[in-house]
Amino acid sequence: MASHVVLTSGAKLWRSLPCLTSELRLDLTLACGQSFRWRETAEGHWTGVMGGRVWTLTQTDDRLWYHVYTNQKKRRGRENRAEEQPEGVPNVEEEAPAVTDEQQSTMEAEMLREYFQLHVKMEDLCRHWGAADRHFKNTADVFTGVRMLRQDPTECLFSFICTSNNHISRIQGMVERLCQALGVPLCQLDQTPYHDFPTLSALADSSVEARLRDLGFGYRARYLQQSAKMILDTHGSQWIEGLRRVPYLEAREALRTLPGVGAKVADCVCLMSLDKPEAVPVDTHVWQIAKRDYKYAADNGQKSLTDKLYKDIGDFFRKLWGPYAGWGQSVLFCADLKKFQNLKEMGHVKQPKKEKETHKRCKKTKKDFDGNKIKTESEYRKKAKISVKKESTL
DNA sequence: AATCGACCTGTCAAC
DNA sequence: ATTGCCAGGTCGATT
């Protein structure tokens, strides 16, 4: 049976392209909650599905290394209970014609460059933002290499419908189950099955809501099925991708017509998959950041994020950072996650003492993958103390 | 335009 | 071991 590869045990299996860690940090970028499908399968090695293939990625100081697994079951011997397979699923066949390793590798490198949007220079952006924004500079000095992925629009949309009123840790499990239940199987590595993200037609099936409720999706089960059905019924299968070619606000409003898609989810999809770098998703984190770190006072102690406040905060950051404001937001958002608080304490220090934690989490259970229990306790204590200390000296 | 409550359920931190 | 709040929101009804 195939297993996950690691760089140290066979450089033959790997290709690479130039990429500085100042431009890309896999550990931050793949685990900050923009994509939910990457797992650290060995120390510093991230395995996930992208472009219908299974990849393992890792990096050294100046290169990004990748391995693509071959699809074991090209011909599915398993009964595929989707009897109605509309003709619009061209994804099944490729690499049948003679493609040299060289060509294959070139194509894969190009897929990676696109996925990580390596043409966008984070160093330049951060220097620019940091010059005018003290707080950003302090944060970005530690959180260097957080960048926006260019995700598949369908995957992005349906993943983010799952995020409402929810935790990242739980969302990851849900998206995993979604793919397992409705996506085409790709391969299996060390007992872990990998599936493609479900197609629109798979998501739109009337049986899906009940199925997903059984899988613990709660009220989001209906949103997923209904949104997929609405897209296919009223727009067609190419509609979401087509939104890449329309202006930001138009794409945003189009998305908001879907059930389960409000301002925040629409902005996430715009920013993370539709080439709208000016989209600034405002969630509770960003709201807190605006108030706490930017003394954003235009909300007179409001209880909830109203439409107007949402827009004002987005405009505030767009004015501060310009057309790539969404990229800036993602850096601060990442820095605000508690799973990454330990990075702040050690500043630039390269590799922390590795708690031996990385080994046990690679098994196959999804719950070992939290990565934040290592220091949360002290961190929480510290945080609480800070906010309390101001009002009561202990 | 702002506020309120309901909505599913797993996680995490506090009894 | 158990409990209770809450999490990267959205929707519909009210004021």
Side-chain angles (χ1 to χ4, degrees):
Chain A
M1 166 181 309
S3 49
H4 295 93
V5 300
V6 291
L7 189 55
T8 51
S9 72
K12 280 277 199 264
L13 300 169
W14 295 82
R15 303 275 183 165
S16 71
L17 56 125
C19 177
L20 299 172
T21 52
S22 55
E23 284 294 327
L24 170 65
R25 278 274 301 266
L26 289 175
D27 55 343
L28 299 178
T29 301
L30 297 180
C32 68
Q34 49 175 324
S35 168
F36 302 98
R37 301 207 61 202
W38 294 94
R39 299 292 131 90
E40 190 174 24
T41 46
E43 190 168 355
H45 290 63
W46 295 83
T47 303
V49 177
M50 187 269 285
R53 299 147 199 260
V54 182
W55 306 67
T56 293
L57 310 176
T58 190
Q59 61 185 336
T60 49
D61 285 345
D62 60 353
R63 300 198 77 79
L64 172 60
W65 298 83
Y66 61 95
H67 172 86
V68 184
Y69 300 87
T70 56
N71 190 339
Q72 294 169 329
K73 45 186 71 170
K74 245 305 145 14
R75 59 192 82 258
R76 82 301 289 256
R78 39 198 300 111
E79 77 289 11
N80 203 337
R81 64 156 248 88
E83 44 273 289
E84 22 77 74
Q85 188 76 352
E87 73 291 342
V89 190
N91 195 6
V92 191
E93 215 25 75
E94 55 221 313
E95 71 193 353
V99 176
T100 66
D101 283 358
E102 195 69 20
Q103 291 172 310
Q104 186 70 23
S105 174
T106 303
M107 192 168 68
E108 290 161 357
E110 189 48 38
M111 289 176 76
L112 280 182
R113 273 191 287 267
E114 269 187 33
Y115 187 66
F116 288 108
Q117 311 199 75
L118 295 179
H119 60 282
V120 178
K121 299 301 175 199
M122 275 309 278
E123 262 193 296
D124 295 346
L125 288 175
C126 287
R127 191 176 328 114
H128 176 60
W129 294 328
D133 177 348
R134 187 71 198 157
H135 176 257
F136 186 90
K137 175 161 176 39
N138 291 339
T139 302
D141 281 350
V142 178
F143 289 82
T144 309
V146 179
R147 55 168 52 245
M148 292 315 304
L149 267 19
R150 186 177 195 256
Q151 297 183 250
D152 172 75
T154 300
E155 172 172 340
C156 191
L157 170 62
F158 287 90
S159 295
F160 274 88
I161 288 177
C162 299
T163 65
S164 77
N165 197 18
N166 210 346
H167 299 254
I168 291 182
S169 50
R170 182 181 167 213
I171 297 165
Q172 279 187 337
M174 287 167 62
V175 173
E176 190 65 43
R177 293 196 294 281
L178 182 68
C179 295
Q180 210 157 307
L182 301 172
V184 174
L186 296 173
C187 71
Q188 180 169 335
L189 306 171
D190 297 323
Q191 320 289 351
T192 305
Y194 288 88
H195 299 254
D196 206 350
F197 199 84
T199 61
L200 273 178
S201 53
L203 288 162
D205 191 275
S206 60
S207 65
V208 163
E209 177 179 351
R211 185 99 180 273
L212 294 183
R213 277 202 177 257
D214 284 344
L215 292 175
F217 281 64
Y219 58 86
R220 304 169 196 83
R222 180 158 31 93
Y223 292 153
L224 292 165
Q225 190 272 331
Q226 286 187 158
S227 282
K229 180 164 170 45
M230 183 178 300
I231 290 170
L232 286 179
D233 286 353
T234 73
H235 302 294
S237 62
Q238 303 301 304
W239 178 71
I240 317 181
E241 274 214 22
L243 295 178
R244 280 180 167 164
R245 297 187 294 274
V246 310
Y248 164 45
L249 291 178
E250 187 183 328
R252 184 175 184 273
E253 291 321 299
L255 290 169
R256 287 191 67 171
T257 63
L258 302 170
V261 181
K264 154 64 169 58
V265 169
D267 272 332
C268 285
V269 178
C270 281
L271 174 64
M272 301 172 187
S273 72
L274 296 180
D275 305 331
K276 317 296 185 222
E278 70 269 50
V280 178
V282 181
D283 50 40
T284 52
H285 281 274
V286 176
W287 188 16
Q288 294 311 309
I289 289 169
K291 288 191 292 191
R292 182 191 63 212
D293 303 328
Y294 290 88
K295 311 297 177 240
Y296 185 86
D299 78 291
N300 312 304
Q302 280 178 297
K303 292 283 188 229
S304 61
L305 205 46
T306 63
D307 283 352
K308 176 166 166 38
L309 181 55
Y310 186 102
K311 180 181 185 312
D312 287 347
I313 293 178
D315 287 343
F316 171 77
F317 284 117
R318 273 184 284 273
K319 186 170 180 192
L320 182 62
W321 295 328
Y324 275 71
W327 288 55
Q329 169 270 353
S330 75
V331 174
L332 298 190
F333 176 84
C334 183
D336 208 52
L337 293 175
K338 58 177 185 290
K339 74 201 289 185
F340 294 133
Q341 293 311 299
N342 57 141
L343 292 183
K344 291 181 177 170
E345 293 162 11
M346 42 201 196
H348 302 277
V349 177
K350 259 295 197 281
Q351 278 295 347
K353 57 222 100 183
K354 54 203 65 163
E355 313 270 341
K356 296 277 190 228
E357 288 285 338
T358 41
H359 296 315
K360 73 163 70 157
R361 98 160 76 96
C362 315
K363 275 288 75 158
K364 68 233 171 150
T365 33
K366 34 217 154 161
K367 39 164 71 148
D368 328 345
F369 188 81
D370 23 284
N372 50 353
K373 62 173 45 146
I374 308 170
K375 72 304 165 178
T376 38
E377 195 184 349
S378 68
E379 191 48 41
Y380 252 69
R381 221 200 315 281
K382 189 173 127 196
K383 244 183 180 167
K385 211 179 288 179
I386 288 172
S387 58
V388 164
K389 224 184 255 178
K390 305 201 158 143
E391 29 206 357
S392 71
T393 46
L394 21 108

